[in-house]
Structure formats: structure tokens, C-alpha cells
Amino acid sequence: MLIKIDKRLRATQFRDRLAQAMRHGGLSQSALARAVGVDRSTISQLLTDEGARLPNAHVVGACAAALGVSADWLLSLSDRPESAAQLLSASLSLSEAPRALVDQQIFDWHREAAGYKIRHVPAALPDMLKTRAMLEWEYAPHLGRTADQAIGASEDRLNWMRSAQSDYEIAMPLSELDSFAHASGYYTGIPAALRREQIDRFLDLAEQLYPRLRIYLFDSRRLYSAPVTIFGPLLCVFYAGGHYLAFRDRDRIEVFSRHFDHLVREAALTARDLPGHLRRLRADVA
């Protein structure tokens, strides 16, 4: 809703905000005048004029650019002094996603969101629920001789995540667990004994940690989701293969939270249904 502000009040706020931005930026009237391309007397008048008139759009825009603030903020159309570019930079970040287990960036995000509900659509089976044998099968080919050390360090982080005071909701396609149980697709070549051990691990953790850990299975023929983690109200992070795309603005977080809610509402199997489904899959492992 657009809030109407009296012209005289808006002019007063413009003078106050212009002076505040100059103090914060350490710019004198002369320095700002040179940056804007006007006489020093013009800047002096902007700061002292008691009338209700505002400068023209060119002067306002030039002052905003020189001071590193938004023109909307100077004109009291926004409470955020940052420019649009600064707001976008702060709300959106791109960082490298190494082919590894719980890397430092992921761990830092989990620690930042400790105590909040964390919602997760994994790219494959959730790392935080995997056995050591499964981690070795999956990551040793990429990590080489450092695999054992990396897995040891990651196990400590995974244990911390499981014991943190956060609720976890995980949504994943039904087909992911089915492919794993039958060693097809991505999971081709996994020995039956390892698959049974991993399913037992899922069963143990799903029952031990419920309701703090809730896993929902959706039908990917009806629904789709890219790999994403929503860290409470703080941020949401998409996994794009080689990079993480992180959003921190609340509007986008709310959009993707609603997307996750839809996955949960439309889940083919709920968290309560999961143990029975896992037992059926385990019986099929050959």
C-alpha cells in the first residue's frame, strides 16, 4: 500500500537523509557538488531550504549515485538506503559447490540456522542419513586417497546436524529410494549387503528422530523439485551441480517455502508411511 506523505514532511526528510548520507560517506558539500556536477551553493540550498520543494529527478539521482544510496530512500519512498544493485547483491549469492560431503559452506549454513526448521530436497539420498560404507562407495572415486580423512571429518558434521536443535523435513522422489533398493541408475553396482545396511540405517534414524526428522516421498511423475534447502526464514539454497545459488530475501524464501509445502501436501507417502515402505524395499533387495 502506498503511504501518502505531506510535501513539506517529505522535503524535511530529504534534507535529513541527504545530510545523513553525506556524514556516513564522509563527503563535504564541495565534494558532493563536484560529484553531482552542480555549484556548492546548490548543495547548500538542498540542505538548508525550509520550503516544500524537492530537487529535480536528475539531481536526486546524481546525489544518490554519488552517496551510494537509493533515490527512493532519499525521497522517503523506501526505508532501505541501499541501492537496487546492493540489495540484489546482498540477497543473492553464487558460491562453488565442490564434489564432496558436507563442505564448510553447507556446515556454516546449518550452524547459522540452528534452532530453525530446515527443509531439504536432496539431489540424491540425504548425506546426513548415509552409512559410512555408502559414503565411501559414493565419494571415494572423487576424493581419492583423501576419502577416508574427508569422510571422517564429514561424519562429525553429520552427527552435529542430526543432534542440533533443528527440525528437519526432507522431501524426495519415490523413485530415488526405488532406484537405490534395486541398484539401478545412479546406484548401479552397489552390493546388496550395503543396500540392506543403508535401508536399516534409514529405518533406525527415521524412527529414532521422528518427529524432529520427517521424510516425505513424492511422485516425480506428478511433481518436480530441483535440489534445494530452506534454512528457516534465513535463506534458501539451490544446488546447481558445480555451484550453490543462495537467496536471502524473505519474499523468495516464502515462495520456495510454499513450494516445499506443496511437496509435503501432495506426498505419496508421509513420514508415518516411510518405515513400512522401507521394510518393503528391503525385502526386495537382491
Side-chain angles (χ1 to χ4, degrees):
M1 181 177 68
L2 186 64
I3 299 175
K4 293 184 178 180
I5 301 177
D6 178 82
K7 288 183 179 180
R8 188 172 296 277
L9 176 59
R10 191 186 297 277
T12 299
Q13 290 177 337
F14 173 82
R15 292 192 294 273
D16 292 343
R17 291 187 173 189
L18 181 64
Q20 177 185 335
M22 290 173 63
R23 288 194 301 271
H24 186 268
L27 263 70
S28 65
Q29 292 185 23
S30 297
L32 181 59
R34 287 194 297 271
V36 173
V38 297
D39 294 334
R40 181 185 179 283
S41 59
T42 300
I43 302 299
S44 178
Q45 185 178 14
L46 291 179
L47 292 167
T48 60
D49 190 351
E50 296 295 331
R53 294 185 60 185
L54 289 166
N56 63 44
H58 171 76
V59 172
V60 173
C63 286
L67 294 167
V69 298
S70 72
D72 282 352
W73 179 73
L74 285 177
L75 294 171
S76 298
L77 299 174
S78 169
D79 290 329
R80 298 292 300 268
E82 302 96 332
S83 67
Q86 290 170 325
L87 287 171
L88 181 61
S89 176
S91 67
L92 173 64
S93 64
L94 190 68
S95 57
E96 188 176 355
R99 185 69 172 97
L101 272 157
V102 184
D103 60 48
Q104 186 62 46
Q105 179 64 86
I106 292 177
F107 190 51
D108 288 344
W109 283 329
H110 276 270
R111 290 195 297 182
E112 180 184 355
Y116 288 110
K117 180 188 290 186
I118 296 175
R119 296 163 147 192
H120 182 43
V121 180
L125 298 181
D127 280 345
M128 67 181 297
L129 305 181
K130 290 174 182 172
T131 64
R132 185 177 182 86
M134 180 66 192
L135 295 173
E136 289 173 347
W137 178 88
E138 189 167 9
Y139 289 101
H142 307 282
L143 301 176
R145 290 178 297 177
T146 65
D148 189 67
Q149 181 181 358
I151 289 172
S154 294
E155 282 182 320
D156 292 339
R157 294 176 176 180
L158 294 170
N159 287 333
W160 182 92
M161 288 160 57
R162 285 193 291 264
S163 64
Q165 297 304 308
S166 293
D167 283 354
Y168 281 87
E169 287 186 334
I170 297 175
M172 52 192 296
L174 269 166
S175 56
E176 195 70 33
L177 276 175
D178 187 72
S179 294
F180 173 75
H182 296 94
S184 62
Y186 177 81
Y187 304 103
T188 299
I190 301 182
L194 190 155
R195 282 178 278 143
R196 284 192 288 268
E197 179 189 19
Q198 180 60 70
I199 292 174
D200 287 341
R201 174 73 158 179
F202 284 155
L203 272 167
D204 289 343
L205 291 175
E207 293 178 340
Q208 289 173 19
L209 300 179
Y210 182 86
R212 282 188 47 239
L213 170 67
R214 299 181 295 279
I215 301 175
Y216 302 86
L217 303 179
F218 60 87
D219 185 349
S220 55
R221 290 175 296 181
R222 295 181 54 247
L223 303 169
Y224 172 76
S225 179
V228 60
T229 305
I230 303 165
F231 294 90
L234 304 178
L235 77 158
C236 64
V237 179
F238 282 90
Y239 176 63
H243 293 83
Y244 300 119
L245 184 63
F247 297 93
R248 285 191 176 272
D249 61 294
R250 289 184 178 270
D251 289 342
R252 286 187 176 88
I253 294 172
E254 179 61 29
V255 167
F256 297 122
S257 294
R258 291 198 297 269
H259 163 71
F260 194 95
D261 287 340
H262 183 64
L263 295 178
V264 170
R265 282 195 304 270
E266 299 297 320
L269 293 175
T270 69
R272 291 183 179 275
D273 301 322
L274 181 67
H277 183 65
L278 288 172
R279 292 186 182 98
R280 289 190 292 273
L281 288 176
R282 193 187 190 288
D284 290 340
V285 172

